[in-house]
mmCIF file of all heavy atoms in Angstrom:
data_model
loop_
_atom_site.group_PDB
_atom_site.id
_atom_site.type_symbol
_atom_site.label_atom_id
_atom_site.label_comp_id
_atom_site.label_asym_id
_atom_site.label_seq_id
_atom_site.Cartn_x
_atom_site.Cartn_y
_atom_site.Cartn_z
ATOM 1 N N GLN A 5 -1.640 21.653 9.563
ATOM 2 C CA GLN A 5 -1.597 20.119 9.432
ATOM 3 C C GLN A 5 -0.062 19.671 9.190
ATOM 4 O O GLN A 5 0.503 20.293 8.359
ATOM 5 C CB GLN A 5 -2.462 19.629 8.377
ATOM 6 C CG GLN A 5 -2.389 18.107 8.235
ATOM 7 C CD GLN A 5 -3.406 17.645 7.153
ATOM 8 O OE1 GLN A 5 -4.672 17.702 7.492
ATOM 9 N NE2 GLN A 5 -2.996 17.261 6.061
ATOM 10 N N ALA A 30 -17.178 16.859 -6.917
ATOM 11 C CA ALA A 30 -17.601 17.305 -5.518
ATOM 12 C C ALA A 30 -16.504 17.239 -4.586
ATOM 13 O O ALA A 30 -16.325 18.167 -3.646
ATOM 14 C CB ALA A 30 -18.727 16.421 -5.134
ATOM 15 N N ALA A 43 -6.815 28.391 6.521
ATOM 16 C CA ALA A 43 -5.976 29.488 6.814
ATOM 17 C C ALA A 43 -6.860 30.750 6.929
ATOM 18 O O ALA A 43 -6.320 31.911 6.883
ATOM 19 C CB ALA A 43 -4.962 29.786 5.693
ATOM 20 N N SER A 49 -13.005 31.456 13.733
ATOM 21 C CA SER A 49 -13.666 32.275 14.751
ATOM 22 C C SER A 49 -15.101 31.894 14.875
ATOM 23 O O SER A 49 -15.679 31.803 16.002
ATOM 24 C CB SER A 49 -13.478 33.717 14.399
ATOM 25 O OG SER A 49 -14.162 34.544 15.355
ATOM 26 N N GLY A 90 -24.658 15.056 23.500
ATOM 27 C CA GLY A 90 -24.207 13.989 24.298
ATOM 28 C C GLY A 90 -23.005 13.208 23.745
ATOM 29 O O GLY A 90 -22.751 12.156 24.217
ATOM 30 N N GLU A 135 -32.019 21.086 5.090
ATOM 31 C CA GLU A 135 -32.799 19.804 4.941
ATOM 32 C C GLU A 135 -31.800 18.683 5.341
ATOM 33 O O GLU A 135 -30.645 18.712 5.068
ATOM 34 C CB GLU A 135 -33.178 19.637 3.483
ATOM 35 C CG GLU A 135 -33.870 18.297 3.262
ATOM 36 C CD GLU A 135 -34.187 18.028 1.768
ATOM 37 O OE1 GLU A 135 -33.971 18.899 0.948
ATOM 38 O OE2 GLU A 135 -34.703 16.988 1.486
ATOM 39 N N GLN A 148 -31.177 1.455 18.632
ATOM 40 C CA GLN A 148 -31.084 2.800 19.079
ATOM 41 C C GLN A 148 -32.319 3.568 18.802
ATOM 42 O O GLN A 148 -32.330 4.603 18.091
ATOM 43 C CB GLN A 148 -29.873 3.468 18.319
ATOM 44 C CG GLN A 148 -28.609 2.791 18.499
ATOM 45 C CD GLN A 148 -28.058 2.980 19.972
ATOM 46 O OE1 GLN A 148 -28.524 3.850 20.689
ATOM 47 N NE2 GLN A 148 -27.108 2.203 20.398
ATOM 48 N N ASN A 151 -32.543 7.330 19.759
ATOM 49 C CA ASN A 151 -31.907 8.317 18.842
ATOM 50 C C ASN A 151 -32.611 8.514 17.536
ATOM 51 O O ASN A 151 -32.588 9.551 16.978
ATOM 52 C CB ASN A 151 -30.468 7.864 18.557
ATOM 53 C CG ASN A 151 -29.454 8.369 19.713
ATOM 54 O OD1 ASN A 151 -29.847 9.304 20.468
ATOM 55 N ND2 ASN A 151 -28.300 7.888 19.741
ATOM 56 N N GLU A 166 -32.161 -1.766 4.673
ATOM 57 C CA GLU A 166 -32.393 -3.154 4.880
ATOM 58 C C GLU A 166 -31.397 -4.151 4.183
ATOM 59 O O GLU A 166 -31.511 -5.312 4.395
ATOM 60 C CB GLU A 166 -33.844 -3.472 4.383
ATOM 61 C CG GLU A 166 -34.985 -2.778 5.006
ATOM 62 C CD GLU A 166 -35.296 -3.343 6.330
ATOM 63 O OE1 GLU A 166 -34.700 -4.275 6.794
ATOM 64 O OE2 GLU A 166 -36.213 -2.728 7.034
ATOM 65 N N THR A 169 -25.922 -6.320 6.170
ATOM 66 C CA THR A 169 -26.071 -6.665 7.561
ATOM 67 C C THR A 169 -26.974 -5.698 8.292
ATOM 68 O O THR A 169 -27.153 -5.777 9.494
ATOM 69 C CB THR A 169 -24.702 -6.627 8.279
ATOM 70 O OG1 THR A 169 -24.116 -5.370 8.111
ATOM 71 C CG2 THR A 169 -23.808 -7.681 7.687
ATOM 72 N N ILE A 246 -8.480 12.994 20.153
ATOM 73 C CA ILE A 246 -7.720 13.204 21.403
ATOM 74 C C ILE A 246 -6.236 12.843 21.179
ATOM 75 O O ILE A 246 -5.319 13.518 21.691
ATOM 76 C CB ILE A 246 -8.258 12.352 22.573
ATOM 77 C CG1 ILE A 246 -7.735 12.880 23.856
ATOM 78 C CG2 ILE A 246 -8.107 10.842 22.376
ATOM 79 C CD1 ILE A 246 -8.496 12.390 25.131
ATOM 80 N N ARG A 254 6.369 11.914 22.479
ATOM 81 C CA ARG A 254 6.702 10.501 22.265
ATOM 82 C C ARG A 254 6.643 9.796 23.638
ATOM 83 O O ARG A 254 6.534 8.511 23.628
ATOM 84 C CB ARG A 254 8.126 10.380 21.694
ATOM 85 C CG ARG A 254 8.286 11.179 20.357
ATOM 86 C CD ARG A 254 7.299 10.863 19.286
ATOM 87 N NE ARG A 254 7.537 9.520 18.800
ATOM 88 C CZ ARG A 254 6.894 9.067 17.618
ATOM 89 N NH1 ARG A 254 6.058 9.893 17.041
ATOM 90 N NH2 ARG A 254 7.128 7.932 17.197
ATOM 91 N N LEU A 293 -11.913 -5.531 7.331
ATOM 92 C CA LEU A 293 -12.192 -6.948 7.574
ATOM 93 C C LEU A 293 -12.665 -7.504 6.214
ATOM 94 O O LEU A 293 -13.615 -7.005 5.624
ATOM 95 C CB LEU A 293 -13.204 -7.199 8.591
ATOM 96 C CG LEU A 293 -12.902 -6.615 9.955
ATOM 97 C CD1 LEU A 293 -14.121 -6.885 10.895
ATOM 98 C CD2 LEU A 293 -11.664 -7.227 10.551
ATOM 99 N N HIS A 304 -19.125 -7.300 13.837
ATOM 100 C CA HIS A 304 -20.089 -7.445 14.920
ATOM 101 C C HIS A 304 -19.483 -6.705 16.135
ATOM 102 O O HIS A 304 -18.372 -6.851 16.533
ATOM 103 C CB HIS A 304 -20.199 -8.889 15.305
ATOM 104 C CG HIS A 304 -20.935 -9.034 16.682
ATOM 105 N ND1 HIS A 304 -22.224 -8.762 16.929
ATOM 106 C CD2 HIS A 304 -20.315 -9.275 17.928
ATOM 107 C CE1 HIS A 304 -22.437 -8.947 18.239
ATOM 108 N NE2 HIS A 304 -21.377 -9.217 18.839
ATOM 109 N N GLN A 331 -5.589 -2.249 20.826
ATOM 110 C CA GLN A 331 -5.933 -3.374 21.655
ATOM 111 C C GLN A 331 -7.448 -3.630 21.445
ATOM 112 O O GLN A 331 -8.030 -2.972 20.572
ATOM 113 C CB GLN A 331 -5.704 -3.137 23.075
ATOM 114 C CG GLN A 331 -4.270 -2.628 23.391
ATOM 115 C CD GLN A 331 -3.297 -3.702 23.217
ATOM 116 O OE1 GLN A 331 -3.518 -4.874 23.767
ATOM 117 N NE2 GLN A 331 -2.194 -3.470 22.470
ATOM 118 N N ALA A 341 -17.733 -2.984 32.023
ATOM 119 C CA ALA A 341 -17.155 -1.672 32.188
ATOM 120 C C ALA A 341 -18.269 -0.587 32.210
ATOM 121 O O ALA A 341 -18.217 0.373 33.016
ATOM 122 C CB ALA A 341 -16.203 -1.317 31.151
ATOM 123 N N LEU A 361 -12.770 1.822 28.522
ATOM 124 C CA LEU A 361 -12.732 1.590 29.942
ATOM 125 C C LEU A 361 -12.404 0.192 30.268
ATOM 126 O O LEU A 361 -11.650 -0.138 31.299
ATOM 127 C CB LEU A 361 -14.121 1.932 30.489
ATOM 128 C CG LEU A 361 -14.528 3.366 30.502
ATOM 129 C CD1 LEU A 361 -16.024 3.599 30.657
ATOM 130 C CD2 LEU A 361 -13.787 4.185 31.478
ATOM 131 N N VAL A 364 -8.670 -0.408 30.075
ATOM 132 C CA VAL A 364 -7.940 0.186 31.310
ATOM 133 C C VAL A 364 -8.230 -0.691 32.453
ATOM 134 O O VAL A 364 -7.286 -0.957 33.280
ATOM 135 C CB VAL A 364 -8.504 1.579 31.523
ATOM 136 C CG1 VAL A 364 -8.031 2.139 32.850
ATOM 137 C CG2 VAL A 364 -8.063 2.534 30.355
#
Side-chain angles (χ1 to χ4, degrees):
Q5 180 173 288
S49 177
E135 180 186 354
Q148 302 291 342
N151 273 346
E166 298 284 357
T169 58
I246 197 165
R254 308 303 291 190
L293 301 178
H304 163 77
Q331 305 292 313
L361 292 162
V364 171

